[in-house]
């Protein structure tokens, strides 16, 4: 329905504003850093996450892991609703992962966050969890066709 499209669009814009465009209000304020070294990207799986486990405050660990998961649960729920004729588990996961990689790439190019492979992993876990919630409601709660 049209309302689900609007909710999904609002959600995508909100995620981009919270993760990537947090310090800008206008497009002309964006500054791309194409000379940034690729060594700034963490491609070692769980390297930074394990550091947070042993940090003095475990709150950072929970914020990083569960926060990234929870931010992408709505994607897993809304994507199959909006694209109901083309949705599948595989497509939802792949598109969700690509959206996460897009965010990490923008964070790297705009220097607005830390680009980390762990974020892509946790975001994809959130998409999977959201899709499972979608399936549960479709099967047990909603009497939809």
């Amino acid at each position: 329905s049209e309302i689900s499209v609007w909710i999904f669009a609002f959600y995508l814009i909100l995620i981009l504003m919270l993760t990537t465009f947090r310090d800008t209000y206008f497009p002309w304020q964006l500054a791309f850093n194409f000379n940034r070294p690729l060594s700034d990207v963490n491609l070692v799986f769980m390297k930074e996450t394990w550091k947070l486990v042993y940090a003095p405050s475990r709150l950072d660990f929970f914020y990083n892991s569960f926060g990234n998961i929870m931010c992408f649960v709505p994607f897993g729920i809304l994507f199959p609703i909006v694209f109901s004729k083309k949705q599948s588990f595989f497509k939802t996961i792949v598109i969700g992962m690509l959206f996460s990689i897009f965010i990490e790439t923008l964070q790297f190019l705009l220097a607005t966050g830390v680009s980390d492979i762990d974020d892509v992993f946790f975001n994809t876990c959130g998409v999977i969890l959201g899709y499972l919630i979608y399936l549960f409601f479709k099967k047990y709660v909603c009497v939809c066709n």
Side-chain angles (χ1 to χ4, degrees):
S1 73
E2 189 175 331
I3 192 158
S4 60
V5 173
W6 280 104
I7 291 170
F8 189 57
F10 176 77
Y11 161 76
L12 293 177
I13 292 168
L14 181 65
I15 286 294
L16 286 170
M17 293 304 292
L18 291 173
T19 60
T20 306
F21 304 119
R22 44 187 138 185
D23 296 330
T24 57
Y25 295 101
F26 304 104
W28 56 82
Q29 292 176 314
L30 297 175
F32 287 92
N33 299 302
F34 293 112
N35 296 326
R36 194 170 173 195
L38 286 176
S39 60
D40 287 354
V41 179
N42 176 33
L43 294 174
V44 180
F45 184 65
M46 297 303 252
K47 175 184 171 187
E48 296 302 317
T49 301
W50 284 121
K51 285 182 186 177
L52 293 175
V53 169
Y54 300 107
S57 170
R58 293 196 200 270
L59 186 61
D60 291 336
F61 167 75
F62 288 105
Y63 176 78
N64 184 55
S65 54
F66 294 111
N68 277 316
I69 291 170
M70 295 313 294
C71 281
F72 271 71
V73 167
F75 190 99
I77 295 170
L78 293 169
F79 185 83
I81 293 171
V82 171
F83 298 100
S84 59
K85 293 183 180 171
K86 298 178 182 177
Q87 66 82 19
S88 71
F89 178 73
F90 182 73
K91 285 180 186 175
T92 303
I93 303 311
V94 169
I95 299 296
M97 186 181 347
L98 290 174
F99 184 59
S100 177
I101 291 168
F102 174 70
I103 288 172
E104 295 299 317
T105 303
L106 281 177
Q107 284 180 338
F108 173 74
L109 291 174
L110 297 171
T112 57
V114 178
S115 298
D116 194 335
I117 192 71
D118 298 352
D119 292 348
V120 175
F121 171 74
F122 288 124
N123 293 343
T124 304
C125 289
V127 174
I128 292 169
L129 180 61
Y131 191 85
L132 294 175
I133 292 169
Y134 160 77
L135 285 179
F136 174 81
F137 276 91
K138 184 178 175 186
K139 184 171 184 173
Y140 295 110
V141 178
C142 184
V143 197
C144 307
N145 292 336

